[in-house]
């Protein structure tokens, strides 16, 4: 219900990104960090990090380096991940802005494709990993031009975005142009993510490589917060007039155009400094730096998918999240439609940050054993029931609204519902990540686990897009005041209004979806859930990939 910090796609997602919860608009679920190595991804965390740290190093043997010795590199990584979070946060704020302009849910569904690049980056990651200028640097060959393009793109977009959003008088938002523009925006950000994740693997020594995951999590969270929560607050005239100004003004402190121009300049300046001052480490083991080739990597991915156990997992995880799609994708937009200020929804993310940090640590104790999917199975019915509770909250919202806004107890109930929902969401998320790490073939762990995470993210993306698309067709409207007219189509609704009538919703498609999704979710839980759990009983040999040279 609030566009808060996303789990960056790691197809990853961390952003949110899949769709984390009904307060998170368009985000994905994913593990902490992808580091691409040898033509595939290497996940820093869990068993993959242990394997990474056990590799032989070509560096001279000496005393371990403390983090202070590489503080500059750590801070650089942190800042690069902050930059990465800015486009994610800005894209996450657009659906709320569009909803406040009364665009259709069909348009919202179309815009939701903007969030897919982070869940699909595995498709072009091998190319980013294999093609580079050796003299300039393997990661800088992609990072520098991508960030320059991002910076210039943001500055150009700052001059066009007001027109696209319909800010000029007499115009409505151009959703097609916004979608195409922000899709390219997120594609560039995902490409930057691949380059930064790969560079993190060699920028730090083996003693300090674990800090890369921390930089990823903290940096992207901070960037998303700046591009989403902070921007929505400062862009809101009502928020600024109430809390930050002595004299009311018709606009917020910043506009989207101002925000884009500022961060575009930051991208250009910092990228120039990185290109000139930061050198890539060339003292790394060749086995860590050289790829086996793009073709070999794609062949490997195809071989993994063809394995019966993997194929069954993919089919089940691609359908497991249908039951959550209405709650996760539509609820936040419905609350904005009912009058809840978008900046207030965004600010609900702030008290959730500590919970989002603590939950994975607690839940991991229950998913560390041989059957992590048991936690997924147990949490699923509770998360499904939240779909009904969120539908009730949407129905209840206009009934507690008063002239000055909403009572404080309303926001407390929203926050509590959001927090409880996070427990169920993270229980399922951590369980799947633990299972993926458990079954991934250690010989090709990065490629294998990244593929499974990609499928998990798509399992959340496509139902959310479909859920948004179906809201309008499932909604029933009647033309009140004029007999013989209906509001079944946009043209008919326009004619009803023109003749002096008004279109009134008699059946909201959101409620139809909410009930349908919960029913489908429980059907999956009862009939397919046990089969999903049985994947844990498969022999490890069922998950081993037989590679041909």
């Amino acid at each position: 219900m609030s566009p808060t910090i996303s789990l960056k796609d790691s197809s990853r997602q961390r952003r949110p990104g899949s769709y984390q919860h009904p307060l998170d608009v368009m985000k994905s679920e994913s593990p902490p960090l992808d580091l691409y190595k040898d033509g595939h991804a290497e996940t820093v965390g869990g068993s993959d990090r242990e394997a990474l740290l056990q590799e032989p190093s070509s560096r001279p043997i000496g005393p371990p380096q403390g983090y202070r010795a590489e503080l500059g590199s750590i801070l650089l990584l942190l800042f690069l991940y902050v930059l990465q979070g800015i486009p994610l946060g800005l894209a996450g704020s657009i659906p709320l802005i569009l909803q406040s302009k009364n665009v259709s849910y069909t348009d919202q569904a179309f815009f939701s494709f903007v969030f897919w690049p982070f869940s699909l980056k595995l498709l072009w990651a091998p190319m980013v990993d294999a093609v580079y200028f050796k003299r300039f640097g393997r990661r800088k060959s992609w990072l520098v031009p991508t960030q320059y393009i991002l910076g210039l793109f943001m500055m150009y977009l700052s001059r066009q975005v007001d027109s696209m959003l319909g800010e000029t008088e007499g115009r409505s938002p151009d959703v097609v142009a916004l979608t195409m523009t922000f899709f390219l925006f997120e594609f560039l950000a995902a490409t930057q993510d691949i380059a930064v994740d790969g560079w993190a693997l060699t920028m730090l020594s083996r003693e300090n490589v674990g800090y890369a995951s921390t930089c990823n999590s903290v940096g992207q969270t901070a960037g998303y917060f700046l591009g989403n929560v902070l921007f929505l607050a400062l862009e809101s005239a009502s928020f600024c007039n109430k809390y930050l100004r002595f004299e009311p003004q018709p606009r917020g402190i910043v506009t989207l155009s101002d925000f884009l121009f500022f961060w575009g300049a930051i991208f250009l300046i910092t990228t120039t400094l990185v290109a000139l001052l930061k050198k890539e480490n060339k003292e790394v083991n060749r086995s860590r730096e050289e790829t086996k080739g793009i073709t070999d990597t794609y062949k490997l991915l195809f071989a993994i998918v063809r394995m019966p156990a993997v194929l069954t997992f993919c089919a089940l995880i691609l359908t497991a999240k249908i039951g959550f799609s209405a709650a996760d994708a539509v609820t936040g937009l419905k609350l904005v439609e009912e009058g809840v200020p978008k900046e207030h929804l965004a600010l609900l993310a702030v008290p959730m940050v500590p919970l989002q940090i603590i939950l994975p640590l607690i839940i991991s104790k229950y998913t560390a054993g041989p059957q992590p999917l048991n936690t997924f199975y147990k949490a699923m019915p509770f998360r499904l029931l939240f779909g009904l509770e969120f539908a009730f909250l949407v129905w209840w919202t206009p009934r507690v609204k008063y002239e000055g806004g909403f009572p404080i107890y309303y926001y407390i109930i929203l926050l509590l519902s959001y927090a409880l929902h996070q427990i169920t969401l993270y229980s399922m998320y951590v369980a799947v990540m633990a299972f993926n790490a458990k079954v991934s073939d250690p010989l090709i762990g990065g490629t294998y686990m990244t593929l499974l995470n990609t499928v998990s993210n798509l399992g959340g993306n496509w139902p959310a897009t479909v859920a948004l698309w179906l809201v309008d067709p499932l909604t029933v409207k009647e033309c009140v005041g004029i007999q013989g007219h209906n509001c079944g189509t946009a043209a008919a609704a326009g004619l009803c209004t023109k003749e002096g009538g008004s279109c009134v919703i008699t059946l909201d498609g959101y409620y139809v979806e909410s009930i349908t999704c919960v029913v489908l979710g429980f059907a999956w839980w009862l009939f397919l859930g046990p089969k999903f759990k049985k994947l844990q009983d498969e022999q490890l040999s069922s998950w081993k990939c037989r590679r041909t040279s």
Side-chain angles (χ1 to χ4, degrees):
M1 289 179 292
S2 135
T4 117
I5 314 320
S6 72
L7 294 162
K8 172 182 118 186
D9 150 36
S10 231
S11 13
R12 200 173 173 179
Q13 109 332 50
R14 255 194 101 155
R15 221 28 198 79
S18 100
Y19 302 78
Q20 269 194 283
H21 48 70
L23 290 169
D24 287 350
V25 181
M26 315 302 165
K27 296 196 304 285
S28 54
E29 302 172 6
S30 53
L33 180 62
D34 287 324
L35 298 178
Y36 287 85
K37 156 193 146 170
D38 296 4
H40 58 267
E42 189 81 351
T43 304
V44 175
S47 59
D48 282 346
R49 184 173 67 179
E50 292 172 9
L52 172 67
L53 295 177
Q54 290 168 6
E55 290 179 0
S57 174
S58 61
R59 286 176 178 163
I61 298 176
Q65 297 188 62
Y67 74 92
R68 295 180 186 276
E70 297 184 302
L71 186 59
S73 294
I74 292 173
L75 292 177
L76 174 60
L77 274 180
L78 179 65
F79 185 72
L80 290 175
Y81 282 121
V82 169
L83 291 182
Q84 183 187 121
I86 299 295
L88 291 171
L90 285 172
S93 68
I94 296 298
L96 297 179
I97 295 175
L98 290 176
Q99 194 65 18
S100 65
K101 296 179 179 293
N102 300 315
V103 302
S104 69
Y105 284 93
T106 303
D107 288 336
Q108 290 280 14
F110 188 69
F111 186 81
S112 72
F113 285 107
V114 164
F115 304 93
W116 285 49
F118 265 86
S119 294
L120 297 174
K121 66 182 182 180
L122 179 64
L123 297 179
W124 68 93
M127 183 184 302
V128 176
D129 195 62
V131 180
Y132 58 95
F133 297 102
K134 190 173 182 179
R135 179 173 294 182
F136 188 54
R138 182 177 188 176
R139 309 304 174 184
K140 287 171 62 177
S141 294
W142 286 91
L143 177 70
V144 171
T146 299
Q147 289 200 168
Y148 270 132
I149 295 173
L150 267 170
L152 293 172
F153 190 73
M154 291 172 82
M155 298 182 82
Y156 167 78
L157 186 58
S158 70
R159 301 176 62 89
Q160 305 295 326
V161 71
D162 287 344
S163 175
M164 293 180 186
L165 285 172
E167 298 290 351
T168 53
E169 187 174 352
R171 296 192 58 177
S172 58
D174 188 342
V175 177
V176 173
L178 279 170
T179 302
M180 294 175 64
T181 301
F182 275 87
F183 185 90
L184 177 58
F185 198 25
E186 296 304 288
F187 174 82
L188 290 170
T191 304
Q192 188 255 20
D193 178 42
I194 298 169
V196 175
D197 285 351
W199 198 2
L201 186 65
T202 56
M203 187 183 293
L204 303 179
S205 65
R206 296 195 181 277
E207 295 84 6
N208 295 320
V209 73
Y211 286 106
S213 182
T214 303
C215 291
N216 181 298
S217 178
V218 175
Q220 194 183 57
T221 296
Y224 194 95
F225 182 89
L226 291 172
N228 189 293
V229 179
L230 183 64
F231 163 70
L232 287 173
L234 296 181
E235 184 264 352
S236 168
S238 61
F239 180 87
C240 294
N241 290 338
K242 186 174 182 179
Y243 298 107
L244 302 177
R245 287 176 173 151
F246 295 107
E247 295 184 6
Q249 296 184 21
R251 305 186 72 175
I253 292 177
V254 301
T255 64
L256 182 55
S257 178
D258 298 333
F259 200 81
L260 283 166
F261 187 88
F262 172 80
W263 282 105
I266 295 296
F267 265 83
L268 295 178
I269 294 170
T270 56
T271 303
T272 301
L273 294 175
V274 170
L276 295 177
L277 303 179
K278 183 63 178 178
K279 306 297 182 183
E280 289 198 36
N281 190 349
K282 297 182 179 180
E283 296 182 355
V284 294
N285 191 333
R286 285 181 173 271
S287 67
R288 296 173 69 200
E289 268 297 294
E290 293 187 1
T291 180
K292 293 181 179 179
I294 300 174
T295 304
D296 289 343
T297 301
Y298 285 120
K299 286 181 178 179
L300 179 58
L301 291 172
F302 184 66
I304 295 172
V305 172
R306 291 175 59 189
M307 295 162 55
V310 175
L311 204 57
T312 301
F313 171 84
C314 291
L316 291 173
I317 201 65
L318 281 172
T319 55
K321 300 176 184 177
I322 292 176
F324 318 125
S325 56
D328 289 5
V330 188
T331 302
L333 301 179
K334 275 292 176 183
L335 291 175
V336 173
E337 181 181 320
E338 296 294 350
V340 180
K342 60 185 183 296
E343 63 274 11
H344 289 180
L345 289 181
L347 288 171
L348 289 179
V350 178
M352 286 297 102
V353 172
L355 182 65
Q356 291 174 330
I357 294 172
I358 295 170
L359 276 177
L361 301 176
I362 298 174
I363 297 169
S364 62
K365 296 179 181 179
Y366 300 94
T367 60
Q371 296 185 314
L373 294 183
N374 288 354
T375 302
F376 179 100
Y377 186 77
K378 292 175 181 177
M380 186 171 182
F382 294 99
R383 185 174 174 186
L384 287 169
L385 290 175
F386 273 107
L388 297 179
E389 197 231 342
F390 290 143
F392 172 77
L393 282 175
V394 172
W395 173 85
W396 183 53
T397 295
R399 289 159 176 79
V400 296
K401 184 179 180 181
Y402 60 90
E403 187 175 347
F406 293 88
I408 187 65
Y409 68 81
Y410 172 79
Y411 289 108
I412 292 174
I413 292 174
L414 270 187
L415 189 62
L416 181 61
S417 300
Y418 174 20
L420 293 174
H421 178 264
Q422 290 287 282
I423 296 174
T424 62
L425 184 148
Y426 272 85
S427 295
M428 297 179 67
Y429 157 67
V430 174
V432 171
M433 293 303 108
F435 178 76
N436 291 350
K438 175 177 174 284
V439 301
S440 294
D441 189 336
L443 295 178
I444 48 173
T447 300
Y448 204 132
M449 188 168 178
T450 301
L451 174 63
L452 296 182
N453 293 338
T454 298
V455 176
S456 298
N457 284 323
L458 289 177
N461 276 346
W462 78 262
T465 297
V466 172
L468 286 166
W469 223 298
L470 289 176
V471 172
D472 287 336
L474 292 175
T475 298
V476 178
K477 297 180 180 180
E478 290 184 356
C479 182
V480 176
I482 304 293
Q483 291 186 347
H485 288 272
N486 64 72
C487 298
T489 64
L495 184 60
C496 171
T497 305
K498 185 177 180 181
E499 295 292 329
S502 60
C503 289
V504 176
I505 295 176
T506 57
L507 179 62
D508 194 325
Y510 167 68
Y511 299 116
V512 177
E513 275 194 7
S514 295
I515 295 173
T516 303
C517 286
V518 171
V519 171
L520 292 175
F522 272 107
W524 190 98
W525 182 71
L526 290 172
F527 298 107
L528 297 179
K531 188 172 184 179
F532 191 57
K533 285 202 303 178
K534 283 185 179 179
L535 289 173
Q536 301 171 124
D537 300 329
E538 293 277 353
Q539 298 293 326
L540 285 179
S541 58
S542 301
W543 304 93
K544 298 287 185 183
C545 183
R546 293 167 179 80
R547 300 166 64 186
T548 57
S549 58

